Amino acid sequence: MKKLSILIVSLLILSALLSACAGQQQAQKIRIALILPSTVDDLSWSQGMTEGVKAVQAELGEDKVEVAISERLGNPTDAAAAIRQYASQGFDLIIAHGSQYQSVLEEIAPEFPKTSFAYGTGFQAHDNIFAYDPQAQEGAYLQGMLAAKLTKTNIIGVVGPIEAGDAIKYNYGFEQGVKAVNPDAEVRIAYTGSFGDIAKAAELAKAHMDAGADILTGTAQQTVGAIRACAERPGVYWLGNDMDQSSIAPNTVLTAQAYDWKSVVMQMVKFRQEGKVGGEHLVLSLANGGLNIVVNPNLSSVIPADVMAMIEQAKKDIIDGKLVVELPK
Amino acid sequence: MKSSYRVQLAILVIAVISALLVGAILLLIVRANPFTAYRAMLLGPFSSLYGLTETAAKATPLMLVGLGIVIAFRSGILNIGGEGQMIIGALAATVVALTFQNWSPLVLLPLTLLAGFLGGALYGAIPGALRAYFNVNEILSTIMLNAIAQQVLVFLLRGPLIDPTEIAYGTGFPQTQQLAKGIWLGKLIPQTRLHWGFIIAIVLAIFVYIFLWRTVIGYRLRAVGAGPKAARYAGIPVERGLILAMALSGGFAGLAGIVEVLGIHHRLLDGVSAGYGFTGIVAALFGRLHPIGLIPASFLFGALVLGADMMQRAVAIPAAIVLTIQGIMVLFVVGSDIFIRRPEWVEKITARWRPKASQPAQPVALSSSAASDQGEPPRD
Amino acid sequence: MIDQLLQMSVIVGIITTGVRLATPFLLAALGEMFDQRAGVYNLGVEGIMMMGAFVGFWVALRSGSPWWGILAAIGVGIFMGLLMGLISITLQAEQGISGIGLYMFGVGLAGYLFRITVGYITGIEGFKPIAIPYLSDLPIVGQIFFNHNWMVYFAFLMVPVSWFVLYKTTWGLKIRSAGMTPEAADTLGLSVVAIRYTCLVIGSIAAALAGAFLTLGHTNMYADNISAGRGFIAVALVYFGRWSPWGILGGALFFSLVDALQLWVQVLGLNIPYEFAVMAPYVLTILALTVAARQIWGPAALGKPFNREGD
């Protein structure tokens, strides 16, 4: 029995050594692992990041970047197993794409000091943990201004998931944008209580529209359901978040605040090449181009030139620091 | 009558292999190599320290929830409210741990675990009482209570219990601050996720065995489960039995919740129940609804979940395949059970040449007396 | 806010929303009622709904007609029903666990098939509302009940149909006896196995149609986890309705109307945390059942596999 256990332990050590050697041989190559809460095709948060990582891979070359993806790991317990496995397989950069992964990273990261970990939305960067943090309120402010200018009923509906994280930032910024140009417009915020219930989101959007809203917005992957519901009613526009969602409703999705995940991933890769494995708090903002307002070319005529100019001006003011979009305290 | 262990094992192996063969079709369609995939799935959880400890860490909440399922099932009630009970248990315990965080860990740790148990027990007792006194079906009430617990959790996490730094910074992610380091469940092996909760679960499994088979209350509960009518004639208060069973069942789920918090997350956050309330049922049934059988069953089910997840990474396939193959596996294993319970079924297959004994069934008109026994629901 | 809620247009909006929300519950729960009446309880409804939702969507996307999607969903329902029957009836498996297995299988397979066949989120042409002539012109009632797509009418029509089948036909009597006293039914020469299989297939078709409603009659798209736990609520509603079609109608409407009300209360501006609104239908459903509690005998042989040899 004792002999057997010695044998097993030595085998384990051997295999660990072997995998370590294998890791060294591939030193030229950067290996990126991605942990996603939903799926690579959710047309929002997870798909946005997937496309960002793929874009980095395309730019640096397939032979220079290896990408591995694990989906549907919304709850941190299952994600932790995946993160730990990627780390022990010698991945260089492990991106856990959600706020909920903060505590598991804090637990695992110290054991793999050479590996870089990243998570977001978040701010607690550590030795080898990057935290990225989209300033969702900034683009939301601009979209709020747009909504306030375009609404004819003075009612704007928000289809929210769970009142937390990005949704709070987005809604808070959006309301400020609306109030800044049209204090009479009413922003009605409602939540479905879930991130992924697209049928409920659709129903909530319908209720908003029945109650008079003609401009709608919202966050999380469930909004695709709400967008489709809006597409049934001519004259109603949707302002999106996360990424350009106009493909599912070309005549309804007017704009979107799109996150440029590619730049974030590229930045982390650069930091690593400079020998920095973590400790940075990466902000996606209008100023650094991490956030963009994408206008659906199909519908660009809907936005009057003066409104567009006003929004451009506000964008400049935010970038210059003249205009600060508040966050809830 | 039961088959010999060797036959039982053979049947199980055949079921698993058949399930894997069906799953291989799905893998081949996405051009994944089934051999690589299954090697990762079947050997991954057992071939490294990482795999073994992860499996054990996964087995811990399965075992704790499963113990509750065993008690409930043996008492004649199916508890599918494990998710909600885990959440409420973890919530109650977290509140205690945060309120008294300056107390000595020697006092605070047992107090926290107790709060977790009581929180879950209380939340489990509700469907028990509703069933016993108001005749509200427990499947209905537990499904509803699961949804309610989820909303309560989010409400408290983004309100009164939120980590102050989340507010200060404006990220507003719904989670509590870290609990006092002193009450974290320590690691059994450093640099792994295996923590003392695993030992707690095994010790409790033995306790539950003793409780159900060696104490008077346990005997009464099982009597209620075996037949409420007979139990009532024997003078056993069936209503109280049901409530007690559900409370204990919920208590173990609540304990699972706080053990996950203290051993893995070190803070309470959304998603802490992670579906264990449901998978714990499967583990309990695989363990033949026996507390001791539950130990290997949870371990194997934990390995199945972990291995399937490792397979996803080994061959880069969509996560949905993992769930599908797990589903196929459950269906095959539960479907093969009949061959273990009824060895004559195996004989039927192995001895094809023997003529089948078919029972003649003659159609007889349904008599009106049979129809009147149907127990018409009063609505009509 | 209260006076806003009492406006006629808002009330109409709430009830219209409720009717739409009730439709998938109604279909799936009526189907589950047939399963349970025959003595099998099927926790896999969620998995069947997901399969129905996906296959209905995919066939509609490829063929361009939602009607082909419905046909395909029916096919999926038959397949899933036979599968559940094989495991739970022929192989006499523990039904709770085989239901959970079916749920995992269905949800997983739907996600998998979506990935390999479509792989991106896209919309389709779903069923359009059909205003019923004359009736839809009625004030208030017309908007609430007579301006939906055919699946909504179909679901509500199934309530009296199920009632008639269950209580006014010999076949309904056979179903009920298979669930109540299978041994007696067997001695009377009925094939309990055949009855249970038939009911499982019917129930499963209904669940698949409930799923197809989500993609073809409600959201006009498919995305991962579109059913979002509705299958489990449907199972719960069978208990709420105490195995009676009218009771299930009441339960589905009650749950959905509270849900619609809470959505509208939020939309009109709410001063309480939204979580309490979201949990309202769940809390009130339990309360309603507690208040209206009385002794009911369900199918006595529910969940017990039937075999002639006897155990």
Side-chain angles (χ1 to χ4, degrees):
Chain A
M1 193 63 200
K2 201 176 173 190
K3 267 185 194 164
L4 187 71
S5 58
I6 291 174
L7 186 72
I8 289 174
V9 168
S10 48
L11 272 178
L12 284 178
I13 294 171
L14 193 68
S15 64
L17 282 176
L18 280 175
S19 59
C21 294
Q24 270 170 7
Q25 276 167 9
Q26 296 173 339
Q28 305 299 319
K29 200 171 180 178
I30 178 151
R31 306 176 72 202
I32 303 176
L34 189 53
I35 309 285
L36 296 174
S38 73
T39 55
V40 296
D41 48 17
D42 69 353
L43 205 61
S44 59
W45 179 252
S46 295
Q47 185 172 347
M49 179 50 110
T50 309
E51 289 178 1
V53 172
K54 291 265 164 77
V56 169
Q57 188 184 30
E59 186 168 316
L60 297 179
E62 293 267 342
D63 52 327
K64 291 283 190 324
V65 181
E66 178 188 339
V67 175
I69 299 173
S70 286
E71 321 164 273
R72 280 195 181 183
L73 291 170
N75 78 67
T77 315
D78 294 339
I83 293 167
R84 194 180 280 277
Q85 197 189 7
Y86 280 134
S88 53
Q89 284 172 353
F91 275 83
D92 303 300
L93 173 58
I94 298 168
I95 303 171
H97 196 42
S99 311
Q100 65 263 50
Y101 306 124
Q102 179 199 336
S103 18
V104 292
L105 285 190
E106 281 170 5
E107 190 208 345
I108 297 171
E111 294 165 25
F112 301 91
K114 286 186 180 155
T115 311
S116 295
F117 297 87
Y119 84 100
T121 299
F123 59 95
Q124 290 186 336
H126 289 288
D127 297 339
N128 56 338
I129 301 178
F130 292 109
Y132 48 83
D133 186 14
Q135 301 298 307
Q137 73 278 10
E138 294 186 357
Y141 185 93
L142 302 180
Q143 300 213 89
M145 294 173 77
L146 179 62
K149 280 283 177 196
L150 290 184
T151 177
K152 295 190 179 80
T153 57
N154 267 355
I155 299 173
I156 298 157
V158 178
V159 178
I162 285 172
E163 193 178 350
D166 260 17
I168 296 181
K169 282 164 115 176
Y170 182 87
N171 296 349
Y172 209 74
F174 187 83
E175 266 190 299
Q176 291 172 65
V178 171
K179 294 294 171 207
V181 293
N182 186 355
D184 295 334
E186 192 186 340
V187 180
R188 293 173 167 177
I189 301 177
Y191 294 93
T192 61
S194 136
F195 287 102
D197 191 344
I198 66 166
K200 195 71 154 290
E203 211 48 69
L204 186 50
K206 282 178 190 168
H208 267 311
M209 292 184 289
D210 287 344
D214 59 349
I215 307 281
L216 283 88
T217 187
T219 50
Q221 70 261 25
Q222 62 174 7
T223 53
V224 289
I227 296 174
R228 282 296 294 175
C230 293
E232 309 281 310
R233 314 254 178 127
V236 172
Y237 294 110
W238 178 272
L239 310 178
N241 192 41
D242 285 321
M243 61 182 287
D244 180 13
Q245 295 157 323
S246 56
S247 62
I248 52 163
N251 296 316
T252 303
V253 180
L254 191 54
T255 60
Q257 162 166 252
Y259 300 152
D260 181 11
W261 294 117
K262 185 192 158 197
S263 71
V264 180
V265 177
M266 198 59 108
Q267 227 176 332
M268 292 191 286
V269 170
K270 287 232 171 78
F271 275 128
R272 266 195 76 85
Q273 283 164 353
E274 291 161 11
K276 197 161 189 172
V277 292
E280 290 288 329
H281 170 204
L282 306 167
V283 172
L284 289 84
S285 64
L286 290 171
N288 66 15
L291 304 176
N292 290 301
I293 299 293
V294 191
V295 179
N296 178 359
N298 255 353
L299 296 174
S300 51
S301 60
V302 173
I303 308 173
D306 60 320
V307 175
M308 205 62 217
M310 184 187 73
I311 290 171
E312 285 297 333
Q313 184 56 45
K315 182 178 172 185
K316 244 182 113 197
D317 289 346
I318 292 175
I319 291 174
D320 296 342
K322 276 189 235 163
L323 176 64
V324 178
V325 186
E326 299 285 332
L327 278 178
K329 287 292 169 211
Chain B
M1 191 177 117
K2 273 197 160 186
S3 347
S4 74
Y5 278 103
R6 210 175 287 173
V7 175
Q8 288 193 24
L9 193 68
I11 292 167
L12 199 64
V13 168
I14 293 171
V16 170
I17 290 177
S18 321
L20 293 180
L21 284 177
V22 176
I25 302 171
L26 302 178
L27 292 168
L28 285 171
I29 292 174
V30 290
R31 296 195 187 82
N33 182 341
F35 292 104
T36 324
Y38 285 146
R39 197 167 56 220
M41 177 171 163
L42 297 175
L43 299 181
F46 302 106
S47 61
S48 67
L49 185 66
Y50 158 79
L52 282 171
T53 53
E54 277 295 321
T55 302
K58 267 220 163 13
T60 306
L62 285 176
M63 226 186 292
L64 286 170
V65 172
L67 286 174
I69 302 295
V70 169
I71 295 175
F73 227 107
R74 292 276 175 185
S75 317
I77 189 162
L78 176 62
N79 177 15
I80 54 176
E83 287 284 296
Q85 291 144 13
M86 265 184 94
I87 289 173
I88 298 297
L91 253 177
T94 304
V95 169
V96 167
L98 286 175
T99 313
F100 305 111
Q101 51 184 326
N102 299 326
W103 287 18
S104 154
L106 281 179
V107 184
L108 187 55
L109 178 60
L111 196 66
T112 305
L113 291 174
L114 186 70
F117 188 88
L118 289 180
L122 196 68
Y123 210 62
I126 296 173
L130 288 174
R131 154 91 185 260
Y133 295 118
F134 295 95
N135 205 34
V136 175
N137 182 282
E138 70 278 8
I139 293 186
L140 176 132
S141 56
T142 46
I143 287 176
M144 301 288 157
L145 285 167
N146 284 345
I148 295 169
Q150 174 61 30
Q151 295 304 325
V152 170
L153 174 72
V154 175
F155 169 68
L156 291 175
L157 281 183
R158 72 175 182 90
L161 289 179
I162 195 169
D163 182 354
T165 61
E166 286 289 334
I167 301 230
Y169 197 77
T171 32
F173 183 70
Q175 60 183 15
T176 65
Q177 65 193 81
Q178 280 198 340
L179 303 185
K181 260 205 172 87
I183 60 167
W184 294 3
L185 291 174
K187 292 192 171 173
L188 286 176
I189 302 172
Q191 306 219 334
T192 69
R193 284 213 295 168
L194 185 60
H195 55 83
W196 276 96
F198 185 65
I199 305 292
I200 295 178
I202 288 184
V203 171
L204 284 175
I206 297 166
F207 267 120
V208 169
Y209 171 72
I210 295 171
F211 170 75
L212 278 179
W213 272 273
R214 296 280 182 273
T215 66
V216 179
I217 306 176
Y219 169 76
R220 283 187 176 167
L221 284 182
R222 286 190 300 127
V224 172
K229 274 186 194 153
R232 209 184 294 274
Y233 287 133
I236 296 171
V238 173
E239 282 77 17
R240 260 189 282 164
L242 282 177
I243 299 173
L244 178 66
M246 280 301 283
L248 287 173
S249 188
F252 278 102
L255 202 56
I258 189 58
V259 164
E260 280 290 281
V261 169
L262 293 180
I264 305 274
H265 304 295
H266 305 145
R267 57 158 49 107
L268 182 58
L269 71 175
D270 189 15
V272 70
S273 56
Y276 288 126
F278 288 109
T279 42
I281 300 175
V282 182
L285 287 160
F286 279 170
R288 307 233 164 266
L289 294 171
H290 193 286
I292 305 300
L294 181 63
I295 299 174
S298 323
F299 201 81
L300 285 177
F301 198 74
L304 173 68
V305 174
L306 178 73
D309 208 33
M310 291 169 100
M311 168 176 82
Q312 185 201 348
R313 285 187 285 286
V315 286
I317 46 173
I321 293 191
V322 173
L323 195 61
T324 317
I325 292 181
Q326 279 171 355
I328 295 173
M329 197 88 106
V330 170
L331 289 176
F332 268 90
V333 170
V334 74
S336 71
D337 199 51
I338 185 77
F339 298 101
I340 295 176
R341 272 181 291 147
R342 297 178 164 268
E344 66 269 19
W345 280 52
V346 182
E347 262 172 60
K348 253 191 221 170
I349 291 175
T350 48
R352 267 275 171 90
W353 57 88
R354 242 180 288 161
K356 271 184 205 165
S358 63
Q359 295 178 350
Q362 281 185 354
V364 177
L366 209 60
S367 71
S368 56
S369 67
S372 62
D373 286 342
Q374 313 292 300
E376 295 285 315
R379 255 169 218 275
D380 305 276
Chain C
M1 199 192 80
I2 296 293
D3 49 309
Q4 268 182 307
L5 274 177
L6 291 175
Q7 279 171 19
M8 198 38 89
S9 66
V10 172
I11 294 175
V12 170
I14 291 171
I15 303 178
T16 315
T17 307
V19 166
R20 239 182 351 239
L21 285 172
T23 300
F25 292 136
L26 200 52
L27 279 171
L30 285 175
E32 176 76 9
M33 179 196 73
F34 275 98
D35 299 350
Q36 297 205 359
R37 276 289 183 164
V40 183
Y41 78 94
N42 183 356
L43 278 181
V45 177
E46 176 81 1
I48 304 171
M49 281 180 73
M50 282 300 294
M51 282 298 288
F54 167 72
V55 174
F57 160 83
W58 182 61
V59 171
L61 179 71
R62 287 284 176 266
S63 68
S65 160
W67 289 103
W68 287 112
I70 290 294
L71 214 60
I74 292 174
V76 162
I78 294 172
F79 168 74
M80 295 294 272
L82 290 176
L83 179 63
M84 183 68 185
L86 175 69
I87 312 278
S88 307
I89 301 171
T90 305
L91 297 175
Q92 300 169 25
E94 164 64 44
Q95 289 163 14
I97 192 168
S98 55
I100 291 176
L102 194 72
Y103 151 67
M104 295 163 91
F105 173 71
V107 171
L109 192 61
Y112 166 80
L113 292 172
F114 175 66
R115 179 65 53 79
I116 63 170
T117 54
V118 185
Y120 57 91
I121 288 181
T122 179
I124 45 164
E125 281 293 311
F127 292 111
K128 296 267 178 287
I130 306 166
I132 298 198
Y134 307 115
L135 289 176
S136 63
D137 297 333
L138 292 173
I140 305 165
V141 182
Q143 176 60 33
I144 293 175
F145 293 111
F146 300 108
N147 204 2
H148 294 280
N149 65 50
W150 72 271
M151 295 193 81
V152 178
Y153 304 134
F154 175 77
F156 281 82
L157 197 64
M158 279 303 113
V159 175
V161 170
S162 310
W163 171 81
F164 184 81
V165 168
L166 211 50
Y167 295 103
K168 300 292 165 199
T169 64
T170 33
W171 189 55
L173 190 61
K174 290 175 186 172
I175 293 174
R176 286 179 290 140
S177 51
M180 197 61 82
T181 49
E183 291 78 13
D186 187 58
T187 39
L188 290 174
L190 299 175
S191 168
V192 174
V193 168
I195 293 171
R196 289 187 169 178
Y197 258 102
T198 318
C199 284
L200 263 183
V201 168
I202 291 174
S204 181
I205 290 174
L209 286 178
F213 170 76
L214 291 174
T215 48
L216 301 175
H218 194 200
T219 63
N220 297 340
M221 63 182 296
Y222 177 89
D224 196 37
N225 199 24
I226 190 170
S227 181
R230 284 178 179 74
F232 289 102
I233 304 286
V235 174
L237 289 175
V238 176
Y239 295 98
F240 187 100
R242 303 189 162 102
W243 301 278
S244 130
W246 298 106
I248 287 170
L249 173 68
L253 273 179
F254 179 80
F255 184 89
S256 309
L257 282 174
V258 178
D259 206 11
L261 176 68
Q262 68 90 3
L263 286 178
W264 274 82
V265 166
Q266 285 199 64
V267 161
L268 295 177
L270 165 90
N271 298 321
I272 55 165
Y274 78 93
E275 287 94 344
F276 293 104
V278 172
M279 73 172 86
Y282 304 97
V283 175
L284 291 177
T285 301
I286 295 183
L287 281 183
L289 210 56
T290 310
V291 171
R294 61 202 150 142
Q295 195 68 29
I296 296 292
W297 300 109
L302 184 57
K304 295 185 187 117
F306 174 73
N307 58 77
R308 283 214 169 120
E309 294 87 356
D311 262 310

